[in-house]
């Protein structure tokens, strides 16, 4: 307890606000898009927050290092983009296969090598193309319902304009949008079951096309955008992180998540940027920031059932707009990483293919976007791609 300090406390609270305001609305929006029942949505929300919080607390206290484990936001958004293309059971089966692949890679100590063949710019181009539809629908929702969706965007941009670390933009969007919903709501509120969430095991279907379309992108998004970047940031802060041990713990959490309808776990790159940064206090006490934020998310997990039920009373424009603003920073980050350095043509190719309705052999565009992006770079940016392949993973920026 002597290492606990005010800076770590505030960093933990800040990360929790980000988790609550940026995570729950996005999870519920994706659950609605996939057509999950309230019980299924509740189970999914509960399991990913619980497994991540438990893994974070255990790793951080054991290692005395800030290791925040949550779930992959890009992976969750990608799953939502598959709504209507595959059944819920097929998506669940693909997610479980992805978790087993992550566990096998972790057990073999080869997790970071996944990115040897899939350059980050191309992955991010694919990701940006996959989530573009969310932002387009958010704009359409604003045109159709200016009072509610416009309030969401107004709150978001007002907070961005204020530039205060105490007022997270997504939190301001949530509050102002909720006020607009309350002022304009004229229906009866549904009965909210204030009960502990119940775990629900989804039905699993293992269709080869669904596995190809779901599993590989999830593995890449969870490892390449989460573990590699999140652990890389922590390593960059001077911590001697036992990467293999952490990766195995994250893979175990991913399997638990998949068994109960959740997205794969990952080392939180955004969480690490808050909880392992200098603003979180002296290096020896930053792990307390993770413990604090994780303890609060356990409480959040217990509210999964009422949160899932309240979604039924929310206007679709509010949910769609809120998901849109929550994804703006992810889209910006994806575009910057896709087009801010090497292999930009490959990234552009991946983006264009991913945003299209293209499919082949029953496999959707995101899978082929990765293939097309690598081939495009091999043809037009061969020197950059070969340099990437020949550079050890530990030396890549």
């Amino acid at each position: 307890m002597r290492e606990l300090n005010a800076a770590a406390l505030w960093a933990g609270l800040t990360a929790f606000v980000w988790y609550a305001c940026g995570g729950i609305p996005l999870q519920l929006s994706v659950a609605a898009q996939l057509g999950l029942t309230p019980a299924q949505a509740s189970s999914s929300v509960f399991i990913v927050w619980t497994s991540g919080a438990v893994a974070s607390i255990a790793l951080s206290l054991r290692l005395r290092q800030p290791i925040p484990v949550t779930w992959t936001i890009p992976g969750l958004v990608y799953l939502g983009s598959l709504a209507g293309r595959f059944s819920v059971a097929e998506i669940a089966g693909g997610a479980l296969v992805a978790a087993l692949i992550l566990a096998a890679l972790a057990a073999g100590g080869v997790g970071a090598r996944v990115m040897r063949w899939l350059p980050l710019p191309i992955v991010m181009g694919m990701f940006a193309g996959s989530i573009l539809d969310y932002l387009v629908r958010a704009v359409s929702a604003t045109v159709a319902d200016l009072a509610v969706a416009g309030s969401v965007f107004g709150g978001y941009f007002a907070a961005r304009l204020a530039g205060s670390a105490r007022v997270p933009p997504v939190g301001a969007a949530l509050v102002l949008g909720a006020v607009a919903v309350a002022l304009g709501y004229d229906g009866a509120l549904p009965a909210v079951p204030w009960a502990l969430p119940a775990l629900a095991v989804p039905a699993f279907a293992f269709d080869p096309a669904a596995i190809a379309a779901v599993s590989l992108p999830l593995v890449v998004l969870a490892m390449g955008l989460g573990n590699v970047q999140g652990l890389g940031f922590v390593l960059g802060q001077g911590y001697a992180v036992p990467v293999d041990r952490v990766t195995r713990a994250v893979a175990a959490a991913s399997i638990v998540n998949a068994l109960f309808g959740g997205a794969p776990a990952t080392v939180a790159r955004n969480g690490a940027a808050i909880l392992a940064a200098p603003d979180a206090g002296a290096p020896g006490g930053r792990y307390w920031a993770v413990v604090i934020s994780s303890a609060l998310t356990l409480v959040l997990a217990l509210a999964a059932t009422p949160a899932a039920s309240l979604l039924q009373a929310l206007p679709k424009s509010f949910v769609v707009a809120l998901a849109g603003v929550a994804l703006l920073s992810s889209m910006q980050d994806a575009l910057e990483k896709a087009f801010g350095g090497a292999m930009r043509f490959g990234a552009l190719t991946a983006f264009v293919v991913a945003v299209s309705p293209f499919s082949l052999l029953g496999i959707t565009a995101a899978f082929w976007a990765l293939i097309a992006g690598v081939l495009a770079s091999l043809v037009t940016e061969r020197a950059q791609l070969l340099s990437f392949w020949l550079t050890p993973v530990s030396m890549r920026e």
Side-chain angles (χ1 to χ4, degrees):
M1 293 293 292
R2 289 180 301 175
E3 296 166 327
L4 178 61
N5 58 79
L9 172 63
W10 285 112
L13 292 174
T14 300
F16 170 71
V17 170
W18 159 249
Y19 291 159
C21 294
I24 288 290
L26 182 59
Q27 284 179 297
L28 296 179
S29 175
V30 171
Q33 180 147 355
L34 291 173
L36 301 184
T37 66
Q40 291 172 322
S42 171
S43 176
S44 175
V45 172
F46 174 75
I47 195 61
V48 296
W49 287 115
T50 300
S51 67
V54 170
S56 298
I57 293 172
L59 287 170
S60 297
L61 289 177
R62 178 69 180 85
L63 302 174
R64 295 295 193 268
Q65 296 176 357
I67 311 292
V69 178
T70 56
W71 41 274
T72 167
I73 289 179
L76 178 70
V77 173
Y78 176 68
L79 289 177
S81 72
L82 298 175
R85 303 180 188 181
F86 300 105
S87 69
V88 173
E90 289 171 337
I91 292 174
L96 180 58
V97 171
L100 294 174
I101 293 173
L102 289 169
L105 293 172
V110 295
R113 298 178 188 174
V114 170
M115 297 307 295
R116 174 174 295 280
W117 303 107
L118 294 173
L120 184 62
I122 293 174
V123 174
M124 295 305 281
M126 178 275 290
F127 173 63
S130 296
I131 68 171
L132 180 62
D133 184 57
Y134 277 83
L135 302 179
V136 171
R137 285 189 284 117
V139 173
S140 298
T142 305
V143 173
D145 189 355
L146 185 60
V148 172
S151 297
V152 171
F153 275 94
Y156 178 84
F157 286 110
R160 289 291 297 264
L161 180 63
S164 173
R166 298 181 179 180
V167 184
V170 177
L174 172 62
V175 171
L176 198 59
V179 170
V181 170
L183 292 176
Y185 191 74
D186 56 1
L189 288 175
V192 178
W194 295 97
L196 294 176
L199 292 176
V201 178
F204 295 104
F206 299 97
D207 176 72
I211 290 173
V214 175
S215 302
L216 178 59
L218 277 187
V219 169
V220 173
L221 291 171
M223 280 198 156
L225 305 186
N227 291 351
V228 172
Q229 291 187 1
L231 287 177
F233 183 84
V234 178
L235 288 165
Q237 297 302 305
Y239 294 97
V241 181
V243 175
D244 287 343
R245 188 191 308 180
V246 172
T247 304
R248 286 193 293 268
V250 172
S254 294
I255 292 177
V256 172
N257 290 354
L259 290 173
F260 296 100
T266 187
V267 176
R269 57 195 179 106
N270 291 327
I274 298 172
L275 300 165
D279 286 346
R286 293 179 195 171
Y287 71 92
W288 275 110
V290 176
V291 173
I292 291 167
S293 63
S294 299
L296 291 172
T297 57
L298 280 175
V299 177
L300 183 67
L302 295 176
T305 296
S309 296
L310 286 172
L311 176 65
Q312 307 302 318
L314 296 176
K316 183 178 180 181
S317 59
F318 173 72
V319 177
V320 171
L322 196 58
V325 298
L327 290 172
L328 282 175
S329 62
S330 293
M331 174 62 88
Q332 179 181 346
D333 181 70
L335 293 175
E336 288 173 351
K337 287 185 170 66
F339 304 117
M343 290 174 278
R344 286 177 288 186
F345 184 75
L348 176 62
T349 302
F351 175 85
V352 172
V353 174
V355 82
S356 74
F358 171 77
S359 65
L360 180 64
L361 302 176
I363 302 173
T364 50
F367 175 83
W368 301 112
L370 295 174
I371 304 298
V374 171
L375 290 177
S377 286
L378 185 62
V379 172
T380 64
E381 301 161 326
R382 184 176 305 173
Q384 296 175 15
L385 182 61
L386 292 178
S387 175
F388 176 87
W389 282 343
L390 295 173
T391 301
V393 173
S394 59
M395 296 178 61
R396 294 175 184 167
E397 296 181 357

